[in-house]
Amino acid sequence: MTRPSIFAYAGGAPAFRALAADFHARCVVDPHLEHPFSHTSDPHHVDHLAEYWGEVLGGPPTYSEQRMGHSGMLDIHARNGMEPSLSEAFVRCFDQAVEAQLPSDPALRSTLHDYMVWATAEVLRYDPPDSVVPKDLPTPHWTWSGPA
C-alpha cells in the first residue's frame, strides 16, 4: 500500500492554512523572528505560505501557477543579512506549529522537520549580498523519504 502525500496525510489545504497561521503567529512573538515577520507588506502572507508548503509537500501547484514560483520565493528572501540564529528560530517555530496543528505522527513530524532544515539551508545559500537566484528554478518536492 502506498502512503498518501504528506499534504494529503496532514489534512490538505485546511491543515496547511492552519499550520501557516499558527507558524506566523509564533514568529511574530519570537524575539529573533519578530522583525521580519511583523514587517511583511503582504496581507496574504499566511495564505501564500500555506500554498507554497502545500505544493512542496505533495499538494496542488497553486503557488507555482498563481504566485512567483520557487525562484521568486527565494529572491524575496535573498540578500537580507540573515544570521544562522534566524534559521534555528524558524525551524523551532515550524516544529511547534506542526506539533500544534498536524496529526501526532512521529514520521510526519520528523519528515517535516527535515524538510524545514533543508529549506532554511537553501534560503541561506542566497543570503550573501552578491547572491543571484537563478530564474525558473523548479519548486522542490518533498516526500516521506526526503527530496524527490
Side-chain angles (χ1 to χ4, degrees):
M1 177 183 272
T2 305
R3 198 166 196 187
S5 70
I6 297 165
F7 177 80
Y9 182 84
F16 275 84
R17 177 63 171 81
L19 175 65
D22 186 304
F23 170 78
H24 185 85
R26 290 172 192 278
C27 291
V28 169
V29 298
D30 184 274
H32 296 304
L33 298 171
E34 180 275 331
H35 180 75
F37 274 83
S38 65
H39 291 87
T40 181
S41 60
D42 182 358
H44 304 287
H45 181 253
V46 169
D47 293 325
H48 298 169
L49 191 57
E51 291 168 354
Y52 179 79
W53 286 342
E55 180 174 341
V56 169
L57 296 163
T62 305
Y63 192 86
S64 290
E65 292 176 355
Q66 297 178 12
R67 310 287 172 237
M68 62 189 74
H70 190 59
S71 291
M73 181 281 297
L74 287 172
D75 200 55
I76 282 179
H77 297 93
R79 303 170 297 278
N80 285 322
M82 290 186 274
E83 297 182 18
S85 62
L86 281 178
S87 290
E88 294 164 11
F90 195 92
V91 171
R92 183 184 66 252
C93 286
F94 181 78
D95 287 345
Q96 291 168 349
V98 166
E99 185 174 319
Q101 297 299 324
L102 300 184
S104 179
D105 179 305
L108 176 66
R109 292 181 180 180
S110 175
T111 299
L112 290 174
H113 172 84
D114 291 348
Y115 159 69
M116 191 52 63
V117 168
W118 175 87
T120 57
E122 180 185 32
V123 169
L124 279 178
R125 279 199 308 267
Y126 296 103
D127 195 52
D130 60 344
S131 294
V132 175
V133 177
K135 300 290 182 212
D136 299 320
L137 288 173
T139 299
H141 295 281
W142 199 268
T143 68
W144 292 97
S145 56

